[in-house]
Amino acid sequence: MNASATLPPAVVRPAVEDRHWLSSDHCAAPVLDLLDGLGWTIAETPEANIHMTSPEGGVYVGWLPEDPSAWAREIVWRVQVLPADGEVWVQEFGVHTPSEAVAGFLAALVTHSSC
């Protein structure tokens, strides 16, 4: 038996320094920067919650760090999609989800739609 044929493929692991974004710093900047750059309407409340709406109004994103009902469900991000030809759907992200991950989700969403 050939030894090289039985070895699994090498696993590539990023350096620890490259993983800093995998834990939340509770900062909304990556999402705000993305959506602001795409021309979304952004409104901040006196309580420091932020509400963002896509230019055509079909997608809502809420950053809800001070919303008691969101905290009761242990979420801080709410994405609500209002399709023209379908049912409304919602994706929520917990308090420990990095904003970079939410931004990645939204970038994929807007890439495949007219948001």
Side-chain angles (χ1 to χ4, degrees), residues 30-112:
V31 173
L32 292 173
D33 293 345
L34 171 70
L35 300 183
D36 185 45
L38 293 172
W40 287 42
T41 301
I42 299 175
E44 187 173 345
T45 69
E47 297 82 22
N49 296 310
I50 301 173
H51 305 278
M52 297 151 274
T53 308
S54 62
E56 87 297 336
V59 181
Y60 160 82
V61 177
W63 163 247
L64 308 169
E66 300 300 329
D67 183 304
S69 67
W71 275 96
R73 297 187 327 274
E74 297 185 357
I75 65 120
V76 74
W77 289 103
R78 178 179 175 85
V79 178
Q80 182 172 330
V81 178
L82 310 158
D85 300 350
E87 296 294 319
V88 172
W89 62 269
V90 173
Q91 177 63 53
E92 296 178 329
F93 296 91
V95 296
H96 300 294
T97 304
S99 295
E100 292 86 349
V102 178
F105 173 83
L106 291 168
L109 180 68
V110 299
T111 298
H112 298 290

